[in-house]
Amino acid sequence: MSLRSRAALRAAFVVFSTAALAVAGAFATARADAPAGWQEVGSSTVGSLNAGQGVATYENGGTLYRGIGSIPAELAAQGWNHVGDPDIASGYVFDAYEDQEAATAKMFRVTTPTNVSYTYVHQLEPGEKYNNSFAAVSPDAQWLVSGEWGNTDRLLVFPAPVLNPATPATGGELARAAQIDLDKRVRDLQGCDFVTATRLVCASDDHATDLWPNPLPLHQIDLERPLDGGAVTGHVTSIGALEQESACSGTFEAEGVDYHAGSGTLRALVIQPGICILATTEYRYRAAAG
């Protein structure tokens, strides 16, 4: 979420809370074409304060959301003032944090199934942006993929904290292992998740059409091979646009995505505009037959 959106969300929460959510929920029911290869199976409205950044699903189907209201006080006091789109692997929750003021490092927080949390800090490399919009863990639970902001032709790959034996067991420094080199440029990725070991689906908050034909595109990234700690090429395609439906007018914001292998469900979040910013619409898809 941008600084603009976070400031607007805080203001809206104070002034409009109950009314805005009611209005947004009442009108966020229209349908648009589903992304290529997917069929829409439903949508619902969640509160942006605690669910407007991202979504992840436990193996048992339980849903985890993140928003600016989800940041623990002790992390906020340390300067970690933005939480991105989370992921869950083997019962471990992976959160992506950034410090927009210091902008010298990014942090991943891992919470174990027994609710013990560890922090892993990655010092920025030359040319690396401080943004940490999402955490996406490979299906083998060994690699963690993250993204930067703006125009980019890469994704960053880290050993998955805790689960990859190359990382400290209880927190510490986290070095980058490799990167995914994208064959086409993308812009403002807000969330990615693995669908298979060689395919990710990513949500972009790109409102322009100079790189891709549709605003707020969903990208499919196909890897040449599963992640193994070395550089790998990713082929990028646009599979459609996220929906922009609301009772309010203004700028929508694409946020996190999640794929749950157990149910075959893909989720994508879009924050509604204007005073409806308190409402985030969650769209749900399943792979189309054939």
Side-chain angles (χ1 to χ4, degrees), residues 173-206:
E173 292 291 324
L174 185 67
R176 180 170 65 92
Q179 67 183 38
I180 298 171
D181 295 306
L182 305 178
D183 66 350
K184 296 181 182 178
R185 182 167 292 181
V186 296
R187 179 184 290 131
D188 297 348
L189 293 186
Q190 292 277 47
C192 290
D193 204 5
F194 281 88
V195 176
T196 71
T198 57
R199 174 170 291 176
L200 298 99
V201 171
C202 301
S204 166
D205 192 46
D206 184 4

Side-chain angles (χ1 to χ4, degrees), residues 3-26:
L3 285 170
R4 169 191 57 78
S5 294
R6 286 194 293 146
L9 179 56
R10 290 190 179 99
F13 181 74
V14 173
V15 179
F16 297 106
S17 57
T18 303
L21 275 172
V23 170

Side-chain angles (χ1 to χ4, degrees), residues 18 44-45 50 74 81 83 113 126 134 136 170 186 198 204 215 243 284:
T18 303
S44 56
T45 303
N50 291 303
E74 68 272 16
N81 50 30
V83 63
F134 62 88
T170 57
V186 296
T198 57
S204 166
E243 295 164 85
R284 295 182 294 278

